[in-house]
Amino acid sequence: MNEELKAGVGLSRKWDAREAGREVALSALKHLDGENPKFFLLFSTIHYEKYGGFQELLNGVWDVLPEGTPLMGGTVAGFMNNYGCYTRGATALAVSYPNMDVAIGVGKNTKRNPKNAVKECISTLKIQNPDFYIELVSGPIIPTFPGIGKQTVIKSGLLGKTMEKAIPTLFKSNMGTDRADEILDFLTDYINAPLLGAVCYDDGKASKNYQFYGKEVLDNSMVLMGIKGFKPNFETVSALVPRNIRISVSLKADRRTCTKINNNEATTELYKILGWNEENIREVERFYSQAFYYPFGYYENDKVHVVMLGLILGKDVYFANRIKSNELELFGLTGEKILSESEKIFSKESNLMYGVICETYIETLGNKIYDLKNLIASSTKDYLMVFGGGESIINENRIPHHLYESINILRI
């Protein structure tokens, strides 16, 4: 199979969206020795929204791509490929293999109704018994609250309660958390093969993100590619370091809203544990970037499920994903740990690798991100790693895991 399977990784750093689309497609297809791709994965950073728009990016790709090629993709915080590591530009992966069948399904309004989005996606996915799936889900959008605008920290207890009640309405407007964990659970009712998924993201602002489906630019959607013809290997590692701090949490029915931590008021106790100054609102408003390095989590089926802080709502703390345990542990994240754990999966030889990495690793590694790239390059011929806002996997035992702060790959 390895001799027949051909892969091409594309790159464009051009500013103009249409020109970038053409270049990223041309640079990917030139490695297929004239054969048409069986599928095309396209990723870009958010900046093309201001340099021609994503429809023009797709138009440029389709100026080159053979008509009818299954295409899916979306916006990410950055990417790593054969050419380098980037937080601006576009990249693509084109794959050709004669015995491969590919189909793509799409579901819309993922935040409003994730269950219906999954049903719609599965109903449009025209393939029987694929060997594996690649998934992309719309990422989080920091909500705009009526009357007060876009805020992540609300100090007033009364206002916090009011905004808490408004969250279901925000979901209906396709704002708020991505709900990718719920989508993954619903998917397990329909699919019976491994899956690797990513949450689309922007440049860290959590303001907007987009998905690509054929010739369409979508938002608040999910796309799912089923691939039949070969079975890649799936691997996952996490670089989280236990900090030996454990807490108990009291949760409301949504399993996101935390009212008590260690039987104390949730917000006050959180500030105490993380060493934040409750009176310095500017310090607290930086909690998004700070919290990535001090995530809470719990173990489920031998994997750490991180729960990400979403909002401070007065006395309550709202988490971005559901919490399935009432006991949490505080973890840390270091660049040294990322590199040491990466050696476990990236030192193995392979011809082709596609992977999903938490976008936090970009900032955590800094210029050491090239150590990670060199590790991959020393063992892998062609590769594309995207940095998203969350990672989803379903393993061979049909166990779903929606993760953060992890590295997940499929290799051939």
Side-chain angles (χ1 to χ4, degrees):
M1 182 189 76
N2 291 341
E3 293 181 358
E4 297 176 337
L5 189 144
K6 296 181 174 63
V9 177
L11 172 71
S12 180
R13 298 270 289 156
K14 291 187 175 182
W15 285 94
D16 179 79
R18 185 74 174 245
E19 292 180 3
R22 288 180 54 82
E23 184 177 51
V24 74
L26 285 168
S27 59
L29 296 181
K30 71 179 182 181
H31 299 286
L32 300 187
D33 298 329
E35 295 187 14
N36 289 343
K38 286 297 183 76
F39 69 83
F40 193 88
L41 300 180
L42 173 68
F43 298 96
S44 78
T45 53
I46 196 68
H47 88 277
Y48 285 115
E49 185 175 48
K50 297 180 179 179
Y51 289 88
F54 291 106
Q55 190 60 63
E56 277 296 277
L57 177 72
L58 276 178
N59 291 343
V61 168
W62 285 107
D63 285 344
V64 176
L65 196 63
E67 192 69 26
T69 302
L71 179 151
M72 66 176 278
T75 56
V76 291
F79 53 86
M80 179 189 307
N81 56 25
N82 297 52
Y83 307 92
C85 308
Y86 307 96
T87 55
R88 180 187 64 79
T91 187
L93 173 63
V95 175
S96 175
Y97 180 55
N99 299 317
M100 184 191 303
D101 291 325
V102 178
I104 304 176
V106 61
K108 300 180 180 180
N109 297 312
T110 48
K111 298 177 182 64
R112 181 186 304 170
N113 195 322
K115 188 173 184 178
N116 282 355
V118 170
K119 288 182 178 180
E120 180 186 3
C121 184
I122 293 297
S123 69
T124 58
L125 185 68
K126 305 301 182 183
I127 189 170
Q128 296 293 322
N129 302 315
D131 292 310
F132 66 99
Y133 296 89
I134 297 176
E135 177 215 36
L136 292 171
V137 174
S138 175
I141 303 294
I142 296 177
T144 300
F145 292 104
I148 63 172
K150 185 172 290 189
Q151 291 192 24
T152 56
V153 178
I154 298 173
K155 293 192 69 175
S156 165
L158 179 60
L159 188 56
K161 292 289 184 184
T162 302
M163 294 304 101
E164 186 179 312
K165 293 178 181 178
I167 286 176
T169 302
L170 295 171
F171 280 150
K172 291 179 181 178
S173 301
N174 280 316
M175 288 190 291
T177 185
D178 48 62
R179 308 189 79 171
D181 56 335
E182 297 174 74
I183 287 170
L184 190 66
D185 285 345
F186 291 133
L187 271 174
T188 58
D189 294 333
Y190 296 95
I191 68 177
N192 191 28
L195 173 147
L196 176 57
V199 174
C200 296
Y201 206 53
D202 54 13
D203 53 356
K205 296 182 177 64
S207 295
K208 56 187 68 177
N209 59 85
Y210 299 94
Q211 298 75 56
F212 309 141
Y213 169 65
K215 297 182 179 181
E216 297 181 60
V217 179
L218 307 173
D219 59 8
N220 299 302
S221 299
M222 63 175 293
V223 284
L224 183 67
M225 177 182 288
I227 301 174
K228 186 176 183 178
F230 60 91
K231 296 182 179 181
N233 296 317
F234 288 75
E235 294 189 66
T236 299
V237 294
S238 173
L240 293 168
V241 180
R243 300 179 68 86
N244 298 318
I245 297 176
R246 292 174 174 82
I247 65 171
S248 62
V249 293
S250 299
L251 302 166
K252 291 190 174 183
D254 63 359
R255 305 298 297 182
R256 288 188 175 91
T257 306
C258 177
T259 59
K260 299 285 185 182
I261 297 178
N262 296 334
N263 293 320
N264 297 315
E265 181 184 295
T267 299
T268 301
E269 188 72 5
L270 176 71
Y271 293 170
K272 178 181 176 182
I273 293 169
L274 298 182
W276 292 350
N277 181 356
E278 185 174 359
E279 300 304 318
N280 187 343
I281 188 65
R282 289 185 179 179
E283 178 179 334
V284 175
E285 285 177 336
R286 296 201 307 270
F287 81 88
Y288 267 112
S289 58
Q290 294 183 29
F292 290 152
Y293 301 98
Y294 302 96
F296 291 97
Y298 59 94
Y299 287 91
E300 182 178 338
N301 294 306
D302 299 324
K303 286 184 172 54
V304 179
H305 284 231
V306 170
V307 292
M308 302 304 295
L309 288 169
L311 301 167
I312 301 295
L313 298 175
K315 297 179 180 180
D316 295 344
V317 177
Y318 183 83
F319 286 88
N321 48 317
R322 295 169 303 161
I323 304 173
K324 298 181 180 180
S325 172
N326 290 98
E327 302 292 327
L328 301 178
E329 185 173 355
L330 185 64
F331 292 87
L333 183 68
T334 67
E336 181 180 349
K337 183 68 172 177
I338 293 172
L339 294 175
S340 64
E341 290 297 313
S342 297
E343 291 181 1
K344 297 178 181 179
I345 59 174
F346 290 141
S347 58
K348 303 174 184 178
E349 291 190 2
S350 57
N351 289 324
L352 175 63
M353 183 189 300
Y354 166 71
V356 179
I357 306 178
C358 181
E359 62 89 20
T360 309
Y361 284 21
I362 297 175
E363 296 180 18
T364 307
L365 287 170
N367 59 11
K368 288 188 175 295
I369 198 168
Y370 286 95
D371 293 344
L372 182 61
K373 183 202 178 312
N374 292 336
L375 179 62
I376 300 173
S378 66
S379 61
T380 306
K381 180 183 176 183
D382 294 302
Y383 56 93
L384 173 57
M385 312 295 293
V386 297
F387 294 89
E391 310 89 58
S392 292
I393 59 171
I394 296 178
N395 62 22
E396 289 81 356
N397 297 322
R398 296 188 71 247
I399 299 175
H401 296 278
H402 183 63
L403 306 173
Y404 298 96
E405 318 285 13
S406 68
I407 300 175
N408 307 270
I409 65 168
L410 62 84
R411 79 165 83 243
I412 301 170

